[in-house]
Amino acid sequence: MTSRNTLNIALCGSGRIGRVHAANIAAHPGVNLAWVADPVISSASEVAALYGARATGSTDDVFADTSLDAVVVCSPTPTHIDLIRAAVGRGVAVLCEKPIDLDIGRVRSCLADLAGSTAAVMMGFNRRFDPAFAAIRQRVQAGEIGRLEQLTITSRDPAPPPASYIAASGGIFRDMSIHDLDMARFFIPDVVEVTAHGANVSSDYIAEAGDFDSAAITLRGRNGELVSITNSRHSAYGYDQRLEAFGSQGMLRADNISPTTVRSFGTLAVEGADPYEPFFLERYAAAYRRELDAFVDAIHTGIPCSPGFEDGMAALILADAAAESASTGKTIAIEEVITHEGALRK
């Protein structure tokens, strides 16, 4: 917990998502963007100059700053664990983009290293903070639709990423589906089975990389709840992000979002609407801002972060299980689940 009203935050990584975080930090009344660190110093300098921060090519400079309160980690996945350890070792709070790592063994080791630390560690599963998804979850928790029986999550990207990204991504389940697996746990934390199928229907270079461009995942909760997740690396009609919660007394649904609610009516078609938001930066802009609000509140109050490190580990466990299921054709039993309270159940 900090004794100052304004928090000094460093940004590690100044790529596409780093720039989103930089803008949100700079606009937040309770924080100061103190550092931008990136091995590509020209990129760090460019972002730092926009917001009056200091630029560096080394995170050593960042962690040598005794006035630092927090870091936001947006660097490549293989650097995440080292940066989390460095921050927590100095009592500095961390907001880390997903995934923690691609190797669950390294994640388990890091979790053990964090034992006893009071530094806040939050995972960047920003979709939990999307206003529509968060509202559905709150209403489900309040019992509005009775007992939750089915959860349906649809997530399709407008176009696949380049081959260079696919090669280092860890595969569709650890890279793309992991957001939806965390969303499933947001509603149903105790998942006991995973069945997944992958297909290659649109991108030859993704198949050549040994990955899938299309996936379908079914999860089973301990109380019999079923979750259906549909993923695709391409969608001709735009960024497709929907969620439906079905219960014993009704249903709640969040549909896609367009820039306006204007509808056109003519002789050839009715109910014509604007295209959906182009991609995640636009669709989840509010979620990223609300995520930062929650991170700042956790630092000031000392309340445990949600989603925390354990949630990141649980999502990776499910992603690994999905990859195994798609590879073997088997349903994978989950013998280790981390609940919302951070307890490890085997």
Side-chain angles (χ1 to χ4, degrees):
M1 186 182 302
T2 181
S3 60
R4 289 179 280 104
N5 290 327
T6 301
L7 302 176
N8 285 323
I9 296 184
L11 182 70
C12 297
S14 56
R16 179 174 61 175
I17 192 59
R19 293 174 185 235
V20 172
H21 284 291
N24 288 337
I25 292 168
H28 197 288
V31 300
N32 169 56
L33 182 59
W35 289 93
V36 179
D38 197 304
V40 182
I41 189 62
S42 59
S43 176
S45 298
E46 179 185 351
V47 175
L50 291 173
Y51 306 113
R54 287 174 285 181
T56 179
S58 172
T59 55
D60 290 344
D61 295 331
V62 169
F63 292 119
D65 184 352
T66 57
S67 70
L68 190 68
D69 296 298
V71 296
V72 176
V73 176
C74 308
S75 50
T77 298
T79 68
H80 289 181
I81 282 181
D82 289 342
L83 291 174
I84 290 172
R85 283 178 169 138
V88 171
R90 292 164 175 79
V92 172
V94 186
L95 169 57
C96 181
E97 280 296 331
K98 64 80 192 170
I100 301 172
D101 196 81
L102 298 178
D103 183 343
I104 192 64
R106 280 171 48 81
V107 175
R108 295 184 198 282
S109 176
C110 186
L111 178 63
D113 292 342
L114 300 183
S117 171
T118 58
V121 179
M122 183 172 179
M123 290 305 302
F125 288 120
N126 67 295
R127 296 181 191 183
R128 292 191 182 206
F129 300 96
D130 175 73
F133 296 168
I136 289 180
R137 198 256 186 174
Q138 183 178 24
R139 292 166 70 170
V140 168
Q141 294 288 100
E144 181 174 329
I145 61 170
R147 179 179 181 269
L148 180 62
E149 298 175 0
Q150 298 175 353
L151 187 70
T152 303
I153 302 170
T154 301
S155 179
R156 300 185 177 107
D157 286 353
S164 58
Y165 179 92
I166 293 294
S169 69
I172 191 171
F173 298 111
R174 298 179 185 89
D175 169 54
M176 182 179 179
S177 306
I178 198 165
H179 271 297
D180 306 305
L181 293 167
D182 178 72
M183 182 56 58
R185 289 194 64 256
F186 191 41
F187 285 82
I188 303 166
D190 201 355
V191 174
V192 297
E193 284 183 359
V194 178
T195 307
H197 298 279
N200 296 100
V201 294
S202 64
S203 302
D204 290 342
Y205 68 87
I206 293 180
E208 291 167 1
D211 194 12
F212 303 113
D213 55 47
S214 181
I217 308 169
T218 300
L219 310 177
R220 184 185 297 274
R222 178 159 294 281
N223 296 317
E225 313 97 326
L226 294 176
V227 182
S228 298
I229 298 172
T230 302
N231 293 136
S232 176
R233 288 289 196 184
H234 81 104
S235 171
Y237 51 86
Y239 192 41
D240 189 2
Q241 300 288 293
R242 289 172 283 145
L243 185 146
E244 177 185 291
F246 174 83
S248 59
Q249 297 178 26
M251 181 182 77
L252 293 163
R253 186 178 72 194
D255 291 325
N256 282 306
I257 294 176
S258 299
T260 76
T261 59
V262 174
R263 296 291 185 269
S264 63
F265 298 78
T267 57
L268 298 179
V270 298
E271 294 284 358
D274 292 339
Y276 300 139
E277 293 286 10
F279 204 17
F280 70 93
L281 298 179
E282 297 84 7
R283 168 62 181 82
Y284 290 112
Y288 281 111
R289 293 191 295 268
R290 288 161 56 107
E291 176 185 66
L292 180 61
D293 288 340
F295 182 52
V296 170
D297 287 346
I299 296 171
H300 280 304
T301 64
I303 296 173
C305 290
S306 180
F309 187 95
E310 293 88 350
D311 294 301
M313 179 173 164
L316 184 59
I317 289 171
L318 296 182
D320 284 349
E324 181 181 354
S325 176
S327 175
T328 64
K330 298 178 180 178
T331 293
I332 307 302
I334 304 300
E335 299 177 354
E336 182 178 56
V337 172
I338 302 169
T339 70
H340 283 310
E341 291 74 30
L344 186 64
R345 179 189 61 75
K346 293 186 177 181

